[in-house]
Amino acid sequence: MKKVITYGTFDLLHYGHIRLLERAKRLGDYLIVGVTSDDFDRSRGKINVHQSMTDRVKAVRETGLADEVIVEEYEGQKIDDIRKYGIDVFAIGLDWEGKFDYLGAYCKVVYLPRTEGVSSSEIRREKRKVRIGVVGETPVVKKIVNESRYVDGCEITGICSEDGEFMEKEFDLPLKTENFSELIEKVDAVYVASRPGMHYAHIKQALENGKHVLCESPITLSASECRELFDLADKKGCILMDAIKTAYSTAYSRMLLIVKSGSIGKVVSVNAVCTSLRKNENGDKLFYFKNWNSMSAWGPTGLLPVFQLLGVDYKNKKVFSLFDDRAEDYDIYSKIDLEYDGAVATVQVGNGVKAEGELVIAGTDGYIYVPAPWWKTDYFEVRFENGEKNRRYFYQLDGEGLRYEIVSFIKSIESKESIDVIDRRISEKICETVAVTNRKSSKTPR
Ligand code: C2G
């Protein structure tokens, strides 16, 4: 029996895929189809795949052309599969010409002509693009504009900023305005990265006008305002999403699953440090950075693993802050201690201070170590007293997680259902916990 194998993502299965499978099948008597796993696609930079692996496998099965469907999970698997299944022919579309010649050492390699005029990317692109307007003046605004170019189905069409110079100098966009109403009139969705004190007004206005919102955390400066905005989003049938890029990193979410599955025993402590220095063009330290004090700039990220692992119902909170002389509510460094039943957490944040940005999660059997900068997690270790049991994990992270965050936002808009990577109760609790504390209140920490 002559065995043939082919591989693909087979997203939104179309005529081109079916013809490829038919021709591959004709090359032998038995056809094995390898469908890529979601992780494998992500690691090879295919981030816009619309269907889940389960749906893609189902669609390939339903063609009735595959005698067997397998999952492709890792680089180099093709060689393993060819040996394991005793493959005679490896077939793939001509768009891969030359790329799989190395498999010629194991079986015959055939490149089949592609079907012209149809592709998953085109089908995805044909859908109307979501027009996104950005508001704000933090450095992440630039990153979001750049990262959105990797995401099908959206385009950044305008910016609104209080800082006219920043807008003029840094952006090449069709619409630049200092008037927020003008921006939201011309877009379907808004990415809010204005100063935290402005979030509530910006989000409310956007939602009231039926626009979806992705907002840099903290969404607002109080839990009640945050809840009110989520309720408004539901009422208006709009998406409101918290933008903490770390939540969208594959390594970070795997790390959470490992902890939740009990690998390190019961979690007794979460210790997160997040700091950065702010500099202006002259290299001088710019402490007062557009109202993003340490608590608002880093608090949400630092609190994320705490709330995701220990929950939001802490019993006690103590905050110690060091303030910049020039501004009442600008903490250059804060330490948040949270007490839970049977666990504690410490989050240290600094905007204008530098320390080792690690995350350590201690458990009764072992601990997790995520090296600096842990908020861009691509690597972590599970460590035990007996070092032989230690495990190391690495997952590719492109665009600091921002592009996956935008993909989730666009998918939520298209499916009209929020993909809540960050639970709403966590977003609300973040708002409540980071709401500083000016010089006076720091003397009587809550
Ligand atoms: N294809 C085709 N004609 C089209 C579109 C796709 O013949 N109009 C073929 C591709 O050449 C490929 C198969 O259909 O052989 C699956 O295509 P994709 O789903 O785009 O998968 P791809 O990214 O090419 O994955 O390890 C993964 C594989 O190497 C290929």
Side-chain angles (χ1 to χ4, degrees):
M1 186 169 62
K2 203 169 171 188
K3 282 182 155 182
V4 184
I5 198 161
T6 189
Y7 295 86
T9 305
F10 302 104
D11 189 28
L12 308 166
L13 194 93
H14 55 68
Y15 177 61
H17 293 140
I18 293 169
R19 281 201 55 203
L20 185 285
L21 294 176
E22 283 170 349
R23 281 173 296 152
K25 177 131 184 149
R26 283 203 291 272
L27 295 171
D29 313 300
Y30 190 84
L31 177 66
I32 301 180
V33 181
V35 177
T36 49
S37 72
D38 297 330
D39 271 353
F40 184 52
D41 270 330
R42 246 190 180 204
S43 71
R44 63 190 189 122
K46 259 195 160 180
I47 59 165
N48 291 302
V49 177
H50 264 230
Q51 290 180 296
S52 68
M53 186 190 77
T54 324
D55 289 347
R56 293 181 284 115
V57 165
K58 189 165 167 262
V60 169
R61 281 220 174 91
E62 281 170 1
T63 64
L65 291 162
D67 296 290
E68 197 171 335
V69 179
I70 59 168
V71 175
E72 184 182 25
E73 288 178 284
Y74 56 89
E75 187 101 42
Q77 185 183 324
K78 292 184 178 81
I79 298 176
D80 270 354
D81 289 343
I82 290 168
R83 285 183 175 151
K84 187 163 135 195
Y85 297 102
I87 299 297
D88 302 288
V89 183
F90 168 86
I92 196 95
L94 205 53
D95 45 326
W96 291 96
E97 193 174 10
K99 297 263 168 38
F100 292 111
D101 289 356
Y102 69 91
L103 294 176
Y106 308 92
C107 68
K108 188 175 168 198
V109 175
V110 178
Y111 297 101
L112 297 164
R114 262 174 80 91
T115 306
E116 291 309 314
V118 55
S119 81
S120 309
S121 322
E122 270 162 41
I123 299 175
R124 288 192 296 256
R125 268 186 235 121
E126 267 164 27
K127 294 188 184 163
R128 200 173 74 81
K129 281 193 175 173
V130 176
R131 296 166 304 164
I132 304 179
V134 292
V135 56
E137 39 283 314
T138 51
V140 73
V141 175
K142 253 192 96 182
K143 288 189 188 169
I144 284 281
V145 173
N146 289 336
E147 287 300 313
S148 69
R149 301 202 175 102
Y150 295 92
V151 182
D152 282 353
C154 76
E155 63 186 322
I156 308 265
T157 52
I159 179 166
C160 167
S161 176
E162 288 180 336
D163 186 341
E165 208 188 312
F166 167 76
M167 200 158 58
E168 277 314 313
K169 216 170 71 187
E170 305 282 351
F171 298 93
D172 179 23
L173 292 169
L175 175 68
K176 296 180 190 182
T177 176
E178 289 181 25
N179 180 345
F180 187 61
S181 306
E182 194 187 341
L183 180 80
I184 56 171
E185 227 174 73
K186 300 200 170 82
V187 297
D188 310 302
V190 195
Y191 167 71
V192 178
S194 47
R195 54 198 160 89
M198 291 298 292
H199 285 185
Y200 176 77
H202 281 147
I203 298 172
K204 192 168 178 181
Q205 194 180 344
L207 291 174
E208 272 171 351
N209 285 280
K211 313 294 172 176
H212 308 282
V213 178
L214 174 64
C215 180
E216 271 304 307
S217 208
I219 290 181
T220 61
L221 293 176
S222 84
S224 59
E225 280 182 354
C226 182
R227 204 169 308 129
E228 179 195 327
L229 292 175
F230 275 124
D231 289 345
L232 179 61
D234 289 344
K235 205 173 112 206
K236 290 284 182 179
C238 289
I239 304 296
L240 170 58
M241 242 177 78
D242 204 345
I244 305 178
K245 66 183 182 202
T246 312
Y248 298 85
S249 118
T250 309
Y252 175 81
S253 50
R254 285 300 139 83
M255 184 274 292
L256 288 185
L257 293 178
I258 286 176
V259 176
K260 285 181 178 168
S261 65
S263 298
I264 58 165
K266 185 180 169 307
V267 176
V268 296
S269 146
V270 179
N271 219 311
V273 181
C274 305
T275 63
S276 55
L277 293 180
R278 295 295 185 200
K279 298 194 174 176
N280 64 16
E281 292 95 84
N282 306 322
D284 301 329
K285 282 180 187 154
L286 200 69
F287 284 115
Y288 191 75
F289 197 78
K290 306 278 181 201
N291 299 302
W292 286 86
N293 57 19
S294 298
M295 280 291 249
S296 52
W298 282 118
T301 306
L303 289 165
L304 185 71
V306 176
F307 291 158
Q308 286 183 315
L309 290 170
L310 299 175
V312 294
D313 300 320
Y314 53 78
K315 286 195 311 189
N316 275 308
K317 174 179 95 166
K318 275 195 180 121
V319 180
F320 302 96
S321 298
L322 301 175
F323 288 90
D324 181 37
D325 293 340
R326 287 167 288 177
E328 266 290 286
D329 56 0
Y330 192 99
D331 58 325
I332 60 163
Y333 187 77
S334 284
K335 180 165 170 279
I336 312 167
D337 282 328
L338 300 177
E339 188 190 336
Y340 287 82
D341 274 328
V344 289
T346 301
V347 175
Q348 294 176 69
V349 292
N351 202 9
V353 167
K354 199 64 199 165
E356 186 71 7
E358 295 171 339
L359 171 66
V360 178
I361 300 158
T364 49
D365 294 336
Y367 69 100
I368 300 279
Y369 172 69
V370 191
W374 74 264
W375 52 90
K376 294 182 201 169
T377 319
D378 59 5
Y379 173 80
F380 65 92
E381 294 179 19
V382 186
R383 292 179 175 176
F384 299 94
E385 201 154 60
N386 172 5
E388 280 175 19
K389 284 171 67 192
N390 290 1
R391 292 280 174 275
R392 299 180 176 89
Y393 295 85
F394 173 80
Y395 299 89
Q396 182 69 28
L397 179 71
D398 295 311
E400 299 181 13
L402 289 169
R403 69 181 74 159
Y404 313 133
E405 180 179 279
I406 308 170
V407 168
S408 282
F409 184 49
I410 300 302
K411 279 191 181 168
S412 296
I413 293 174
E414 282 171 354
S415 65
K416 298 189 172 62
E417 205 179 315
S418 231
I419 305 168
D420 281 330
V421 174
I422 303 168
D423 191 281
R424 285 180 177 197
R425 280 171 314 149
I426 291 183
S427 296
E428 285 171 21
K429 200 67 177 184
I430 284 175
C431 296
E432 183 186 309
T433 312
V434 303
V436 173
T437 65
N438 54 28
R439 203 178 292 269
K440 273 178 242 140
S441 58
S442 76
K443 285 188 185 137
T444 49
R446 281 171 293 163

